[in-house]
Amino acid sequence: MSFTSYTFLLVFLPIVLAGYYLLTRVFTSQKPALAWLIIASLVFYGSLGPGYLLVLLGSVVMNFAFAWQMRRLPEGGRGRRAVLITGIVANLLLLGFYKYTGFLAENINALFGTDLRALAAVYPVGLSFYTFIQIGFLLDTYVGQIERLSFLNYLLFGTFFPYITAGPLVRQGEVFKQLDTPVRERTGVKFLAVGLTLFAMGLFKKAVLADSVAPYVATMFDTAGAGGAVSTGSAWVGALAYTFELYFDFSGYSDMALGLGYMIGVRLPLNFNSPLKATSLVEFWRRWHMTMVRFFTSYVYTPMTANMMRRSIRRKWPQWVRLLAVICLPVFVTFVLVGFWHGAGWGFIISGAIHGIALSINLTWRELGAKRRLPRIPAPVGWLLMMVPLVASLVYLRAPDAGSATQILATMVGLGAAGGASVAQFYGTSVLFSGLTVVPAVLWTIFLGAIALFYPRNTQEILGRYEVGLPTIPSEEKEAGRRWRWTISWRPNPSWAVAIAVIAGLGLVFAGGPSPFLYYRY
């Protein structure tokens, strides 16, 4: 069961909302409603696989025990630190057992000719997400940010179905503070209407937009993975189509997660903010998977940068060494880890390394530009400089293996093997009512790109007056199209009701298929 399945849309969600609102109105205590949400979350996650549910519950109970033990020990003491380290290691071992032992065995076999097998046969959906959510909780507990530890609240925090499978990576303070607010103050008709509107927009993005290009993406990457010939034009169409498929897939999921939380009265942190409108890779990562960036920035990049800065000052390193050590090395290491977090494979590591190198160049240019007054890069040029490494990294993210990805990129720049059908032959054509022959793969790619780049407002901006998400990372750039924003703002009126009904209807028609969210595989 996923957000786009008919079981979820027509059975699970109506029952959950009806039961939740009934309990909030019948009982003055919030505990029955919280218990209902916990049961619903466990049912939702258990539907993905009974074994997955055991892993999730084991992780939640384990981390609660670590947090409870830390709170009993004095702050700053060795005992408290030992419990923290033990908890983090235990979480990483759990993640490594299910996600990385296959990758490790595969590489050992390739090096030494052995026949090792992965220790775990299946990977629980969302394990990377809820493991990092709970590591963040342990870190917050260690520094004394947990005022009150309730197992009921923590069980909901660790299993809440709107974000358990693919984020956002929430922090404990963002959830616990809201759970302490009287439930009747954060639920009602307004919350249902706004949340359903946001959810419908996300469903449309996923089921109608993202899934419509998925077959063309699969055609190109599957052909290349099987060693088949792909022309330069077909490779470019497939790579760009995947860029927009992932864009609308993740944007749709993010909207649906926010909408579900809003209906229940728990605002979640923003995770997606029109990243393809950015004009630099630095700004892109302030808009894409924002809660993941926040996690790695807080717990990897910033501590590493601070450490290298102290060393550079103490040892009086030359400026160029300081630049490499303080800026380039931390961002490169951080994004290699980001790539590896996404998946166990060399393609994921290479994808992260591409971003690490490109971001190092971007940040170095900014640093030198501020000191030496280097010319400012025009926005269109900056956008192209952002898109080149982005598309290249996504090819490694989507291809079945690193070798296939490298071959696809070589083909895209004209260095691949000769041959391959034309774009029309490779993807197929259709004849419009006027007799015009078109290539649907190309039209869909252009259409999705136009929406991503030129539609003046995203969903959280359309619903901006209702603050549907918690702030995460502020954007540094002013978006184009601000002068049109007043014309696209959701209001509870008949016109918007009809528009959302159409969007929701189309989403329902196209939903229900075997197309899970792309981030489920990460």
Side-chain angles (χ1 to χ4, degrees):
M1 182 167 58
S2 71
F3 294 170
T4 58
S5 68
Y6 288 136
T7 303
F8 180 90
L9 294 169
L10 303 178
V11 180
F12 178 83
L13 185 57
I15 291 175
V16 170
L17 290 176
Y20 178 67
Y21 271 78
L22 177 63
L23 291 171
T24 60
R25 269 53 185 175
V26 171
F27 296 95
T28 56
S29 171
Q30 299 189 137
K31 290 184 178 180
L34 291 180
W36 176 257
L37 290 180
I38 291 169
I39 293 171
S41 296
L42 296 178
V43 169
F44 171 78
Y45 194 74
S47 71
L48 302 174
Y52 296 174
L53 182 58
L54 294 177
V55 176
L56 173 62
L57 287 173
S59 175
V60 169
V61 171
M62 176 185 71
N63 282 283
F64 183 83
F66 282 127
W68 181 78
Q69 182 63 26
M70 267 194 286
R71 283 173 55 84
R72 295 178 62 198
L73 298 170
E75 291 188 23
R78 291 184 178 181
R80 194 178 180 110
R81 183 177 179 84
V83 174
L84 171 67
I85 294 173
T86 303
I88 292 175
V89 170
N91 278 283
L92 294 178
L93 286 175
L94 178 67
L95 179 61
F97 176 81
Y98 283 100
K99 191 168 186 175
Y100 299 110
T101 54
F103 174 70
L104 182 63
E106 179 183 328
N107 283 276
I108 292 176
N109 292 340
L111 287 172
F112 302 107
T114 54
D115 189 28
L116 299 176
R117 303 287 178 94
L119 296 176
V122 294
Y123 170 69
V125 174
L127 179 60
S128 294
F129 290 91
Y130 65 74
T131 296
F132 273 35
I133 286 173
Q134 296 186 90
I135 287 176
F137 174 78
L138 292 181
L139 290 164
D140 287 348
T141 304
Y142 175 75
V143 298
Q145 292 186 7
I146 308 298
E147 297 178 0
R148 183 173 58 88
L149 191 57
S150 161
F151 183 71
L152 190 68
N153 284 4
Y154 182 73
L155 188 55
L156 180 60
F157 168 75
T159 63
F160 196 35
F161 73 90
Y163 60 67
I164 194 62
T165 52
L169 292 174
V170 296
R171 286 178 169 172
Q172 52 81 25
E174 294 169 331
V175 176
F176 289 164
K177 289 180 180 178
Q178 295 183 76
L179 295 182
D180 289 336
T181 303
V183 69
R184 296 188 184 186
E185 294 181 11
R186 48 187 175 85
T187 56
V189 175
K190 182 193 79 170
F191 292 91
L192 282 173
V194 173
L196 283 171
T197 297
L198 187 55
F199 185 88
M201 290 177 175
L203 178 63
F204 180 86
K205 289 180 184 179
K206 163 61 179 169
V208 179
L209 300 182
D211 286 356
S212 294
V213 293
Y216 309 121
V217 173
T219 296
M220 193 278 283
F221 282 98
D222 291 350
T223 300
V230 178
S231 68
T232 297
S234 298
W236 271 105
V237 171
L240 290 174
Y242 178 64
T243 300
F244 298 128
E245 180 196 5
L246 182 60
Y247 180 95
F248 284 102
D249 187 280
F250 191 45
S251 176
Y253 171 86
S254 299
D255 287 348
M256 295 170 84
L258 287 177
L260 289 170
Y262 203 84
M263 284 186 271
I264 293 168
V266 179
R267 291 169 61 216
L268 302 179
L270 296 176
N271 211 25
F272 196 92
N273 185 24
S274 303
L276 290 186
K277 291 181 181 179
T279 57
S280 72
L281 204 58
V282 170
E283 177 64 15
F284 172 86
W285 281 107
R286 299 178 70 88
R287 295 163 172 255
W288 174 276
H289 214 324
M290 297 152 70
T291 57
M292 181 205 68
V293 173
R294 180 179 66 179
F295 182 95
F296 278 94
T297 299
S298 299
Y299 302 125
V300 179
Y301 175 76
T302 299
M304 191 174 179
T305 299
N307 180 52
M308 298 306 292
M309 176 63 77
R310 287 193 296 269
R311 289 189 180 190
S312 69
I313 294 173
R314 186 169 61 250
R315 300 180 183 181
K316 299 180 180 179
W317 289 344
Q319 182 181 4
W320 67 273
V321 176
R322 182 180 297 182
L323 198 64
L324 291 174
V326 176
I327 294 179
C328 299
L329 181 61
V331 77
F332 179 78
V333 171
T334 298
F335 274 86
V336 168
L337 291 175
V338 166
F340 201 43
W341 174 80
H342 274 80
W346 286 109
F348 295 99
I349 296 173
I350 294 171
S351 176
I354 290 172
H355 279 282
I357 293 170
L359 281 165
S360 297
I361 296 171
N362 194 171
L363 290 168
T364 300
W365 181 270
R366 283 190 173 193
E367 182 72 13
L368 295 177
K371 294 179 178 179
R372 302 183 182 182
R373 296 182 181 180
L374 295 177
R376 185 176 180 85
I377 297 177
V381 176
W383 183 84
L384 287 173
L385 292 175
M386 175 193 77
M387 288 297 293
V388 170
L390 174 61
V391 173
S393 71
L394 292 181
V395 169
Y396 278 100
L397 206 66
R398 175 61 176 82
D401 54 73
S404 300
T406 303
Q407 184 59 43
I408 291 170
L409 290 177
T411 301
M412 290 170 67
V413 296
L415 299 178
S422 66
V423 172
Q425 293 172 329
F426 189 80
Y427 289 108
T429 60
S430 295
V431 179
L432 300 181
F433 59 87
S434 59
L436 178 66
T437 301
V438 298
V439 182
V442 175
L443 290 184
W444 267 110
T445 302
I446 293 172
F447 177 62
L448 295 186
I451 295 174
L453 293 173
F454 302 116
Y455 196 78
R457 301 192 79 184
N458 59 36
T459 45
Q460 62 254 30
E461 291 169 337
I462 292 173
L463 293 161
R465 67 177 62 192
Y466 298 96
E467 298 181 344
V468 293
L470 300 173
T472 309
I473 302 175
S475 173
E476 292 182 340
E477 296 180 355
K478 293 182 179 180
E479 295 181 12
R482 188 175 296 274
R483 61 185 177 274
W484 293 308
R485 288 185 175 182
W486 65 273
T487 62
I488 310 174
S489 181
W490 184 87
R491 290 177 174 81
N493 58 37
S495 298
W496 271 106
V498 171
I500 297 303
V502 171
I503 288 173
L506 289 171
L508 283 171
V509 169
F510 283 85
S515 179
F517 290 101
L518 296 178
Y519 258 85
Y520 275 20
R521 67 184 65 170
Y522 307 138

